[in-house]
Amino acid sequence: MPVTNYNQYHAYHCDLLVRLNAVSSAENTTAMTRFFNHEVNFIGVKAPMIKQVVREFQVEQAQLDANGYLALTEHILEHAKYTEEVLLAFGLINKFVKRHYDEKLLLRFQYWLEHYVSNWSHVDDLCIKTVYQFMLSRPHLIETTQSWTRSASPWCRRAANVVWVKFIKRKIGKNTFMLSKALIFENCDRLLKDEDPFVQKSVGWLLKVAAVEHEEDVIRYLKTNINSMQRATLRYAIEKLDPCTRKQLLSNTSKGKG
């Protein structure tokens, strides 16, 4: 990046940090810390205020186009020290990803997951908001993210499931996209023995949302794999099933993994 551009993006980044600090609080930091079982650096800004900071900045910096915001996003990600900076960086391109950029941005998403993401909120925010909007206009790319299951990064492996949770069945324009049932269970097979707890929770999450459309298949999958499934994964997966089925599946767990 040329020095002049670097300096400009650095100035934007500093401006955004000032804005975040202006709406931060120690109370927010304390409240947010309770949702994490590992150390996370917070400024103390909740999601609605991050969104507001992004909105106000974009109104004031209307001269920046989609490519300018993408460059700023990558600058912030490269230098971010706080979790809210990463969330803000993703938010800067949310309104652009559906109609701008080319398919290569999907490779950037993977790079971000493997190099800049450091907690589950980063994964979920990127997948549920940014990548989701990107995929809505490129549904042919949705299933290609299965390759993320092989990543060395547990956050990218988590994303391989989270990125699909809104595409089990999704109205896109005049058509309805249905995610391949076989691929859903293949993802789960690949990650069922993953040692990372956040990957395990994502397996449960994917099975839970898949059960809305494929309940009998999900129940059959759970019964087949129940003795090799961590209990936390199972509990996530059965949340939307009827109470009797939930009780039966839990009672059939022999390993009782935590």
Side-chain angles (χ1 to χ4, degrees), residues 165-180:
V165 298
K166 295 180 76 171
F167 288 109
I168 302 298
K169 182 179 181 180
R170 175 61 50 182
K171 182 78 171 175
I172 302 179
K174 296 180 180 181
N175 302 312
T176 298
F177 175 87
M178 288 286 293
L179 185 63
S180 165

Side-chain angles (χ1 to χ4, degrees), residues 26 36 63 80 96-97 138 169 175 184 192-193 195 202:
F36 298 84
Q63 79 283 357
F96 298 106
V97 292
R138 305 163 183 85
K169 182 179 181 180
N175 302 312
I184 293 171
L192 199 59
K193 295 182 180 179
E195 295 181 357
S202 76

Side-chain angles (χ1 to χ4, degrees), residues 3-210:
V3 174
T4 53
N5 287 349
Y6 177 91
N7 290 339
Q8 183 61 70
Y9 291 128
H10 177 70
Y12 287 143
H13 185 188
C14 290
D15 177 26
L16 286 162
L17 266 176
V18 169
R19 294 170 189 249
L20 286 175
N21 277 293
V23 294
S24 68
S25 72
E27 291 78 11
N28 285 345
T29 296
T30 300
M32 287 156 37
T33 300
R34 291 199 293 266
F35 294 98
F36 298 84
N37 62 358
H38 59 96
E39 185 176 350
V40 178
N41 290 329
F42 291 109
I43 298 175
V45 185
K46 293 186 176 181
M49 291 309 303
I50 295 174
K51 188 175 181 179
Q52 181 65 24
V53 167
V54 168
R55 185 184 303 115
E56 292 175 354
F57 179 83
Q58 290 182 328
V59 168
E60 296 176 19
Q61 304 297 338
Q63 79 283 357
L64 279 174
D65 61 9
N67 289 328
Y69 274 107
L70 179 57
L72 177 56
T73 289
E74 298 217 289
H75 177 90
I76 294 172
L77 290 174
E78 185 178 352
H79 298 91
K81 296 179 180 178
Y82 299 97
T83 199
E84 294 95 333
E85 289 178 90
V86 174
L87 298 177
L88 179 144
F90 297 155
L92 286 170
I93 61 168
N94 281 349
K95 75 174 188 178
F96 298 106
V97 292
K98 193 172 182 179
R99 294 182 174 85
H100 297 82
Y101 314 125
D102 59 28
E103 294 182 0
K104 292 179 182 178
L105 186 60
L106 190 59
L107 297 175
R108 303 307 300 164
F109 291 147
Q110 181 175 353
Y111 184 88
W112 297 351
L113 286 161
E114 293 177 337
H115 294 84
Y116 301 135
V117 162
S118 61
N119 62 64
W120 62 262
S121 70
H122 291 164
V123 176
D124 298 0
D125 196 87
L126 179 64
C127 291
I128 298 299
K129 298 176 183 177
T130 313
V131 183
Y132 169 69
Q133 290 295 330
F134 179 78
M135 293 296 196
L136 281 177
S137 57
R138 305 163 183 85
H140 60 286
L141 294 178
I142 293 170
E143 295 182 354
T144 67
T145 57
Q146 187 176 51
S147 63
W148 293 357
T149 60
R150 298 190 179 94
S151 174
S153 164
W155 303 120
C156 193
R157 298 198 302 276
R158 176 181 172 88
N161 287 328
V162 178
V163 77
W164 281 359
V165 298
K166 295 180 76 171
F167 288 109
I168 302 298
K169 182 179 181 180
R170 175 61 50 182
K171 182 78 171 175
I172 302 179
K174 296 180 180 181
N175 302 312
T176 298
F177 175 87
M178 288 286 293
L179 185 63
S180 165
K181 185 168 57 177
L183 282 181
I184 293 171
F185 294 123
E186 190 175 319
N187 252 34
C188 295
D189 285 343
R190 291 185 181 189
L191 298 173
L192 199 59
K193 295 182 180 179
D194 198 292
E195 295 181 357
D196 187 272
F198 296 102
V199 175
Q200 283 300 317
K201 289 176 181 178
S202 76
V203 172
W205 188 0
L206 184 61
L207 288 169
K208 177 176 68 174
V209 295

Side-chain angles (χ1 to χ4, degrees), residues 212-230:
V212 176
E213 299 294 332
H214 311 292
E215 183 174 297
E216 291 184 5
D217 296 285
V218 169
I219 291 173
R220 190 178 305 113
Y221 182 86
L222 293 173
K223 287 181 177 179
T224 300
N225 294 281
I226 200 163
N227 288 330
S228 59
M229 186 174 292
Q230 293 189 17

